[in-house]
Amino acid sequence: MAMLMDEMTILKNSLNKANLVSNHLEDMEEFFTYMYAIAAIAIQKRYPNILMRVIPSSTTIYKEKDKLYESFSFAINEVKELSEELSSYEKDNPEGFGKVKYHLDLFFFAITEKGNLEYTYTDDYIISVEDSCKYLDVTRPTINKYMRMGLEQISTTKHKKIPIHAVMLWKDPEWLTNIQTLHGMYIERNKTLQDEYREVLLKIKEFEQIYDGQPFSVVYSEVLSGKIHWDETESPSDYLLWESLEEEREKLEKGLGI
């Protein structure tokens, strides 16, 4: 416990020095790296029966100094929230851990361009999908939908499992919204060109289904040939949206070398 208190003290002292660092851009990158390391160690010490380790993913790209400056206040606020949550719950409390993890993930989001944190939990802390269904009183298809919406999941050698804090916080409307929002933020920024390309193709396909399976060039052949103006079409809004998707597809295909 003495080590934890030392790390918590270091974390709080670092927060007190934040204003000084905010005026020295060259020190900001080292400052945030140091704060992340101390916070991660403090969390592992506080939750030894929950968390084995937490590390940045191999895809992580840290922000340049000028961008760190823009997100400085946001990042510092999340460390403050994290520090308060660490002090608010008993050791190895799942709900407390879930809230601390949320603020660590937000802090990491603030200081990076790409990537995410990877958590390794103790075996006893992750439960089966079936047990998660019972806890949330939902069916297997519903829990699968929840996982797509942001319910944390861990892939084991045989099955997917879910950390205890994830199902606990999912039952709280406020934290459910927080978790889903953060999940969406990470999904959006970590998209690859391939991900974006697939999304655009799906949206284009939706338009084609509306118009009897016909491609953009056929549906709007009169516009493309100059016979009519786009605002004379049956649905000008459809034309503009579909046209932007086609332009985005061309742009992505160039980027992907297709």
Side-chain angles (χ1 to χ4, degrees):
M1 185 59 121
M3 283 296 291
L4 171 64
M5 292 305 296
D6 286 345
E7 287 142 7
M8 285 295 295
T9 300
I10 293 171
L11 194 61
K12 290 176 180 177
N13 288 342
S14 297
L15 286 170
N16 292 333
K17 296 175 183 177
N19 288 335
L20 294 174
V21 177
S22 66
N23 296 319
H24 296 84
L25 195 61
E26 65 276 7
D27 298 330
M28 205 167 288
E29 188 173 5
E30 182 179 346
F31 175 72
F32 278 134
T33 301
Y34 176 72
M35 289 198 76
Y36 163 72
I38 293 299
I41 293 171
I43 293 168
Q44 287 177 270
K45 296 282 187 178
R46 185 66 170 170
Y47 303 101
N49 294 317
I50 291 177
L51 183 65
M52 294 177 66
R53 70 171 186 170
V54 52
I55 58 172
S57 65
S58 60
T59 58
T60 296
I61 300 174
Y62 290 92
K63 287 183 177 179
E64 297 293 334
K65 292 178 182 179
D66 57 338
K67 291 187 177 180
L68 276 177
Y69 181 79
E70 294 173 4
S71 57
F72 184 84
S73 296
F74 175 45
I76 290 298
N77 182 67
E78 291 311 316
V79 178
K80 288 179 180 178
E81 294 285 348
L82 181 155
S83 180
E84 290 175 7
E85 294 289 1
L86 270 175
S87 305
S88 299
Y89 289 87
E90 295 180 357
K91 189 175 182 179
D92 283 326
N93 180 286
E95 181 182 353
F97 171 77
K99 293 178 179 180
V100 167
K101 175 186 180 294
Y102 169 78
H103 290 295
L104 183 65
D105 284 336
L106 268 177
F107 169 68
F108 189 76
F109 185 91
I111 65 173
T112 54
E113 294 280 2
K114 293 282 185 181
N116 54 274
L117 290 174
E118 296 178 346
Y119 295 81
T120 302
Y121 301 109
T122 59
D123 290 341
D124 292 340
Y125 188 69
I126 51 178
I127 61 177
S128 67
V129 171
E130 289 72 20
D131 286 341
S132 299
C133 288
K134 292 176 183 177
Y135 186 89
L136 294 173
D137 193 24
V138 295
T139 62
R140 180 62 181 260
T142 299
I143 209 82
N144 288 336
K145 182 179 76 173
Y146 287 172
M147 286 190 283
R148 291 193 297 272
M149 294 167 62
L151 179 65
E152 188 178 356
Q153 56 187 288
I154 305 297
S155 294
T156 64
T157 52
K158 294 183 179 180
H159 307 286
K160 288 182 179 178
K161 291 196 173 185
I162 299 172
I164 294 173
H165 68 266
V167 290
M168 290 180 71
L169 293 180
W170 201 262
K171 295 186 77 171
D172 183 315
E174 180 181 351
W175 280 96
L176 170 61
T177 300
N178 290 342
I179 292 166
Q180 289 180 329
T181 300
L182 181 58
H183 173 73
M185 288 163 60
Y186 268 102
I187 289 292
E188 187 63 29
R189 79 157 191 181
N190 288 334
K191 280 181 184 175
T192 63
L193 286 180
Q194 285 283 4
D195 293 332
E196 292 180 28
Y197 186 58
R198 281 192 291 269
E199 282 189 13
V200 167
L201 290 182
L202 284 172
K203 290 176 182 177
I204 288 175
K205 187 174 181 180
E206 289 175 2
F207 272 116
E208 289 176 344
Q209 290 174 341
I210 293 172
Y211 289 89
D212 299 322
Q214 299 296 319
F216 179 80
S217 59
V218 172
V219 175
Y220 296 107
S221 59
E222 291 186 330
V223 177
L224 298 176
S225 65
K227 289 184 180 180
I228 64 172
H229 194 264
W230 63 266
D231 60 6
E232 298 177 88
T233 60
E234 184 178 339
S235 178
S237 62
D238 279 3
Y239 172 83
L240 292 174
L241 286 171
W242 197 348
E243 180 188 43
S244 67
L245 288 170
E246 294 292 345
E247 290 173 351
E248 185 65 19
R249 174 166 71 172
E250 289 182 12
K251 176 183 171 184
L252 289 168
E253 286 177 345
K254 287 180 181 178
L256 292 167
I258 299 175

